Amino acid sequence: MVLVTYSAVARYLFSSPVTGSQAWVGDYLAPAITFFALSAALRSRRHIGVTFLLTRMGPGVRLLSQTIAAVMIAGVFVAVAYQGMLRTQAAVATGQSHALLGVPLALTYAVVPLGCALLVLRSLLICAQWWTGDRSNIALSPAHEESPEVPSTGIHE
């Protein structure tokens, strides 16, 4: 945010934008924010979810459906991590670098498998918690029901 704001101010007030600021943000920082935030969103249950069926399920069925969803999430992101790892290895092997910045592209590609690996690990750890008895982090558990202080958005957090 600081880099984008500074570049915009420099461009409009001084007619001198920061060279490469869009490349840094779009090619390096945005992927890092996105892929590292996925695990944090899953951990705190701050991702978008459709819960209209979950509200009609009993605790056992809810646990099973949430476990299936978590395992499916892990499976998808294992595949994404694998493809990201292949892309990173190719960038390292060929020595690819960013045309404008001269920074190795492997750095930006490596964010994908690392972020996905964190998400897979988090997903499996959450499943382990649920099945060992700690269900405080399961969707629609008493700890996650709407509280009177927080206005309902209609979207499960």
Side-chain angles (χ1 to χ4, degrees):
M1 239 169 59
V2 171
L3 182 58
V4 170
T5 303
Y6 177 74
S7 182
V9 168
R11 177 184 307 121
Y12 293 113
L13 292 182
F14 307 116
S15 297
S16 178
V18 177
T19 304
S21 65
Q22 290 179 333
W24 275 110
V25 171
D27 296 338
Y28 290 95
L29 299 177
I33 290 168
T34 301
F35 281 95
F36 290 136
L38 290 172
S39 177
L42 183 64
R43 179 190 67 223
S44 61
R45 307 288 302 172
R46 300 279 183 214
H47 55 81
I48 295 174
V50 181
T51 59
F52 70 94
L53 287 177
L54 288 174
T55 59
R56 291 163 177 77
M57 294 177 183
V61 176
R62 186 180 306 148
L63 174 62
L64 182 61
S65 69
Q66 291 291 86
T67 301
I68 291 169
V71 170
M72 288 173 63
I73 288 169
V76 166
F77 282 97
V78 163
V80 174
Y82 177 72
Q83 289 300 316
M85 185 182 65
L86 292 178
R87 181 76 178 205
T88 303
Q89 287 174 339
V92 168
T94 60
Q96 293 176 332
S97 62
H98 196 281
L100 179 63
L101 304 174
V103 178
L105 283 177
L107 292 176
T108 192
Y109 295 154
V111 166
V112 174
L114 289 174
C116 290
L118 289 173
L119 182 71
V120 168
L121 181 61
R122 173 70 59 198
S123 183
L124 296 177
L125 286 173
I126 288 172
C127 283
Q129 282 180 322
W130 293 341
W131 285 95
T132 57
D134 179 8
R135 298 194 177 118
S136 61
N137 196 20
I138 196 165
L140 300 176
S141 67
H144 285 84
E145 291 178 4
E146 299 291 335
S147 65
E149 306 88 40
V150 180
S152 176
T153 60
I155 298 174
H156 171 66
E157 295 182 329

